[in-house]
Amino acid sequence: MASITEQRDAPAGERGAELERRGLALPRGWAYLPLGLFLVAFPLFAGEFWTVQIGAYSMILGVIALSLMFLAGYGGMVSLAQMTVAGTAGYFFAIFGTSSEMSISLGWSPWLSLPLALLVATLFATLIGLLASRTAGIYTIMITLAIAVAFFYFTRQNYELFNGFNGFAQIAPPAFFGYDWNQPQLFYYLTLAVAALCYAAVVYLGRSTFGLTVQALRDNQRRMRALGYHVTGHQVAAYATAGFMAALGGLLLVFLNGRISPGTIGVGPVIDILIIAVLGGLRHPIGPFVGALAFVLLDNFAIDLIERERFNTVIGLCFLAVVLFSPDGLLGLWEKARRALARGGRPRS
Amino acid sequence: MTMLSRRSLFAAAAAVSLAVGIAPAQAQDTIKLGALATLEGAFAVLGQDGMRGVKLALQQHDYMAGGKKIELIEGSSDASPDSAIRAARKLVEQDNVDILVGPLSGSEGLAVKDYAKEHPGTTFVNGTSAAQDTTLRDPAENFFRFTTDGAQWQAGLGEYAYKEKGYEKVVVVAEDYSFPYTQVLGFMNDFCQLGGKVVDKFWVPIGNKDYSSIVYSIPEDIDAIYVALGGADAVNFLTQYEQAGGAKPMIGGSITVDQTVLGTKGKRRDYLVGTPSAGPIADNWQNEEWQSFVKAYQEAFPDGFPSPSLFAHGYYISTKAVLESLDAVNGDLSNNQAKLREYMASHEFDTPTGKVHLDQNRQAVADIFLTEVAMKEDGTLYNEVVEVIPQVNQTLGMDREAFLAMGPVSRDNPSCP
């Protein structure tokens, strides 16, 4: 089965297997301590804008893209509906909880509306999984894109439940434990905690029996079936797991914006998630976060670099450059740099 | 980690950020003006014209106001509320603009109004967003709108259609979002009070291409069709309506009868003549102020539109209001810009389209142009000004309480079948 993580130049047999085992040679263990410390200390010296708009927003997009990385990188299933699942969580949090549209919102306590929103979104992701796992490769992309676009138009035209074009505004994060979670530092730490948990979960899942099974399914479905594994079951479970993560990201996104409308889950944002995942690299769970940071920085500051009519061109060119020169995304660049250093400039043997 | 130490960590974090925040206020000799418009997405061309309006106002003021230099910082959205909030955040929190002019479209305006409440230190001046509830219900203290809303734009149209044109039964074909709802309200308010009937409303998605199901649902016994579609969509609708043999006259929303519609070829040209519409500007108004504005626009932007759009016009007068007010208070932005805001709230000034002042909710009261499509001798179509409706307020002349009691505008409100 074709997957977008397939190594173009990966030789068959021994070396390929070795590559797979080794994964990306990123630093391990304590090497992440400085990064962790930096992330924890970041709001102490950064201003509100950097804390929320760059820091927290990158991590939120990172979490949603991470759910795609889990599906695409481990499972070989490129789902474009991850933003849709995230939006579903946001929408149902507004519908069950409180918002500007109290004629639709039910006004339930966040202790109830929050888990319910996560549940609905995860169920939705499971349904998408049931449908999409019948397909493979490019057809998965197409069917999930179709679901995403259909859901976008549905929310835009349904006024009874989704309030159409206007969506919901004035959605506040729940005041759990008496804190105002909209306060920049608090919100940053909340996002950091969720992002760290999701990251750890994906790292753990990647090594667990479940994760290994999903990766094996990616590599050779027929053999796994012959060995007695339930292929569809595992794939749907992967969709559900990724959906839960995307839903967490979606809730954070709604807390950040205080609103949700069809524009949040339109075709643009749906594609952005794919761009972020590919930009960062699909071979390691840190990739989506690197990609999200690069994307958010470009999105915010490209307009300052070049005259305004052209700033989207800069964003496009950057993506093009990364994808062209490093099929593994920004993480691949790291790998290349490391190898080049190790070779010490000696010509390739 | 215990609750106590977590709390103290947050306290420390808050203290540090506060300390950074209250760095000694330096004597400002420049004022930062942020401009937010849709420079991406479907409305990019309109957003660019909005920016031209901002620049024209600044050029005419030599980028100076209140004895201080004005620094323009641009921001871009893609017409979605989320992107408008992100762009506003960057301008306010990162670029530290003192005053923000924008955004362009209705839903963005509602979002930026909510955002304005969280940032009392910055003054927000609307660009051209025309949703009613941006200022009518639950307004923000620091949000000013020197442009009129979508309902105001249609002032007098219902009366003209009923009395002058003699239309009594109409159907509505409009795009399915907040701006056309507001436009339909502005039209129906007069029309229904006089006794007109709107027998059916057809709401279509933006960018809809296939109108056949609507065309064949339009009843025979009506007098006219009220069409509130963007120019390109309107052409699609009219073509399909004509091909199906429809011949009822049209009444146009503010952005319906634009150059794309007027420039069409064929039989439809004769059909269009006599189509009434209303809006905040009229291209062919033979007024000295307006003509000199058009000339200034054409000179400043040879690559712009042949004539300024209502977006250039809206951003222009919003920026002009800010600059004139800054002049009047000598650029004094102390005490949360109190002086500036007080002055702006009571500022009455001349624009290329007549006098403008604000009501109690900081919403503009301004002149509206009632136009009708006419044919020049060379056969080209244009919007001829029939009447200038003076000083239209947000409640369309009604008592505020009664107007508010009608409830928020939606697909089904108002209704007079």
Side-chain angles (χ1 to χ4, degrees), chain A residues 129-143:
Chain A
L130 274 173
L131 205 58
S133 60
R134 294 171 165 274
T135 61
I138 190 114
Y139 301 102
T140 308
I141 300 182
M142 281 171 65
I143 200 159

Side-chain angles (χ1 to χ4, degrees), chain A residues 14 35 59 64 84 94 109 159 190 247 250 264 267 272 280 282 287 306:
Chain A
E14 293 288 306
L35 176 68
M59 287 192 288
I64 302 175
T84 310
S109 150
Y159 278 77
L190 174 71
T264 316
V267 180
D272 286 348
L282 286 167
I306 193 166

Side-chain angles (χ1 to χ4, degrees), chain A residues 40 43-50 52-53 57 153 156-157 159-160 165-166 169-170 177 179 181-183 185-186 189 253 256-261 263-265 299-301 303-304 308-309 311-312, chain B residues 3 6-7 9-10 12-14 16-17 20 39-40 48 51-52 55 73-76 80-82 85-87 89-90 93-95 107 110-111 113-114 117-119 138 176-178 181 205-206 411:
Chain A
V40 171
L44 301 181
F45 54 83
E48 189 181 335
F49 172 79
W50 280 88
V52 176
Q53 177 101 335
Y57 186 53
Y153 278 106
R156 205 165 78 166
Q157 287 174 45
Y159 278 77
E160 289 72 30
F165 192 87
N166 293 331
Q170 293 162 24
F177 311 113
Y179 291 112
W181 292 98
N182 250 352
Q183 198 264 334
Q185 271 92 11
L186 272 181
Y189 286 119
L253 190 64
L256 171 69
N257 289 331
R259 58 170 35 257
I260 185 157
S261 59
T264 316
I265 54 165
D299 193 35
N300 274 285
F301 295 108
I303 197 170
D304 295 334
R308 58 189 165 75
E309 279 95 348
F311 78 92
N312 270 328
Chain B
M3 204 55 140
R6 187 166 22 173
R7 206 186 286 258
L9 177 67
F10 289 139
V16 171
S17 71
V20 175
L39 303 176
E40 311 156 55
Q48 284 173 12
M51 284 295 183
R52 287 187 198 113
K55 286 184 178 159
I73 302 171
E74 295 173 25
S76 163
S80 75
D82 291 4
I85 293 288
R86 279 203 295 278
R89 257 199 209 115
K90 176 179 182 265
E93 295 168 26
Q94 170 68 11
D95 299 326
S107 301
L110 292 169
K113 180 222 5 186
D114 284 341
K117 289 181 179 169
E118 297 166 21
H119 290 270
D138 190 24
D176 194 1
Y177 70 104
S178 53
Y181 301 162
I206 307 173
R411 294 168 131 205

